Amino acid sequence: MDYFPILQDLLKLHTIVFLLIGVVWALVAGKVLKTVKTSVIAVASGFLIYVVCEALVHIPHGAFADFLAVFIGTIALGTIPGYLVWMVIRLRNNKGIAGHA
């Protein structure tokens, strides 16, 4: 798994904390998302940020830049499940409202 250093780092304790920060961030920020479409955009944005950070880790530069890419990429990876939770909530609410009409 030399191609995915951020995923390799998830096994370390400090990186799990970064992932949890992303999940909590998405759960709090996701309350503002009013539609399923905005939830899909949020999930896609989190994934895109993760992919960019994963690619940046492979470009040779300083240790701080590597840490920053892993930090941001792991938080972005953590936002994906948080926003997915809100997407499921929005889908359930939309179905419930349509079922009563």
Side-chain angles (χ1 to χ4, degrees):
M1 276 184 50
D2 290 337
Y3 298 109
F4 301 106
I6 293 176
L7 287 178
Q8 283 178 335
D9 282 346
L10 283 178
L11 302 176
K12 298 177 184 173
L13 180 62
H14 71 279
T15 312
I16 293 291
V17 172
F18 298 156
L19 186 74
L20 291 175
I21 289 170
V23 172
V24 170
W25 168 262
L27 289 174
V28 171
K31 187 142 177 80
V32 197
L33 305 176
K34 299 296 182 195
T35 65
V36 175
K37 181 181 177 181
T38 55
S39 296
V40 170
I41 291 171
V43 169
S45 299
F47 183 73
L48 182 65
I49 292 170
Y50 161 72
V51 168
V52 167
C53 289
E54 194 72 70
L56 288 176
V57 170
H58 293 292
I59 298 172
H61 39 66
F64 180 72
D66 280 343
F67 171 77
L68 200 58
V70 169
F71 178 75
I72 294 171
T74 307
I75 289 177
L77 192 63
T79 61
I80 294 170
Y83 287 132
L84 284 174
V85 166
W86 279 108
M87 190 173 5
V88 169
I89 290 171
R90 297 289 183 247
L91 283 171
R92 289 189 70 200
N93 286 346
N94 289 346
K95 262 189 165 178
I97 291 171
H100 291 294

